[in-house]
Amino acid sequence: RGVQYLEVEGLSRNLSSDEIIERLGGGDMTGGSCSSLGFAYIGNKAGLDVLDFRGGTSREFFSRNSNIQEMVGLEGVKGKVVKVKKEIAGTMELMKDLEPGKEYYLAVGRHSAIIRRTETGAEYLELQSKLKNGWTSFHNADYGSTSDTLFKRFGCRKTVDKQFGKVWEKPVVLIDVDSLQGNEEFRKILGYINT
């Protein structure tokens, strides 16, 4: 597709989660940049020097749900693509099974983010805000309940998508972040995101 490859090097030292957020986060609400930002975050957590400010064809490619779903098929990657009739209800059901303390890449509706379950509930990693990036509760003052956050921030449907007399199921992609971190193919893929 004509996307330039830029080799990914190792970081000189491991960065904390806050340092990675500071490094990657910013006021970029460009459609689809959330996906490559999430992958860049995973790369940085793995000790790789990956920045994502490329945009264009790279951003478009990594924002496509079909391409995100292919990440689940990489050797050794723990993840799943679940088809749901109602995006909000289906995603909330999947989030109940998150292992506490682990991070996951979630793609659903029109957004993707790194998510985790803590003692106080599920959180997502905001990396596109002009004002405040970082871990944010799914139940928050900006959007409301978890259901409202999935609707307003993630663009999930509350109802079924029924057209031509058929209910169209929607994919929810969930990938264990740790399983991507040691994957050599994923490291190579990051070269098409790296800036």
Side-chain angles (χ1 to χ4, degrees):
R1 300 193 184 244
V3 177
Q4 182 185 1
Y5 185 81
L6 182 57
E7 182 89 25
V8 174
E9 303 292 336
L11 288 162
S12 58
R13 66 177 180 84
N14 287 338
L15 302 177
S16 70
S17 183
D18 287 341
E19 289 174 312
I20 296 169
I21 293 165
E22 177 70 27
R23 186 169 201 252
L24 295 175
D28 180 4
M29 295 299 282
T30 307
S33 63
C34 55
S35 179
S36 50
L37 272 169
F39 291 133
Y41 171 84
I42 296 168
N44 276 262
K45 280 205 61 147
L48 302 173
D49 187 3
V50 183
L51 292 176
D52 171 43
F53 303 106
R54 192 181 286 207
T57 307
S58 172
R59 177 188 50 81
E60 290 169 15
F61 181 86
F62 287 101
S63 70
R64 294 187 190 277
N65 207 318
S66 58
N67 295 329
I68 294 169
Q69 289 178 40
E70 286 193 41
M71 297 288 195
V72 175
L74 297 177
E75 186 175 337
V77 170
K78 296 176 185 172
K80 56 187 169 184
V81 179
V82 178
K83 299 281 188 166
V84 297
K85 291 180 180 175
K86 293 182 179 180
E87 287 175 318
I88 292 175
T91 302
M92 289 175 65
E93 191 63 35
L94 279 173
M95 288 170 57
K96 288 179 184 177
D97 295 330
L98 299 179
E99 187 178 324
K102 286 188 73 72
E103 294 179 358
Y104 300 86
Y105 174 96
L106 171 71
V108 63
R110 293 186 306 270
H111 188 51
S112 62
I114 306 300
I115 66 168
R116 67 183 182 186
R117 174 166 295 291
T118 67
E119 291 177 6
T120 58
E123 299 178 331
Y124 67 95
L125 182 56
E126 180 61 67
L127 290 171
Q128 295 178 287
S129 173
K130 293 177 184 174
L131 305 174
K132 185 181 174 198
N133 290 292
W135 291 102
T136 306
S137 171
F138 269 91
H139 187 95
N140 63 67
D142 291 332
Y143 300 116
S145 67
T146 299
S147 175
D148 290 336
T149 298
L150 286 168
F151 177 68
K152 295 174 185 172
R153 179 66 181 108
F154 284 73
C156 292
R157 292 178 60 96
K158 292 182 179 181
T159 59
V160 297
D161 182 4
K162 190 172 183 180
Q163 297 177 36
F164 309 111
K166 179 180 176 180
V167 172
W168 299 89
E169 293 184 318
K170 303 293 184 182
V172 181
V173 181
L174 194 65
I175 304 172
D176 180 328
V177 164
D178 291 339
S179 71
L180 278 173
Q181 288 182 11
N183 185 289
E184 189 57 34
E185 191 172 358
F186 178 68
R187 179 184 177 133
K188 290 177 183 173
I189 289 169
L190 289 175
Y192 293 100
I193 292 173
N194 195 22
T195 306

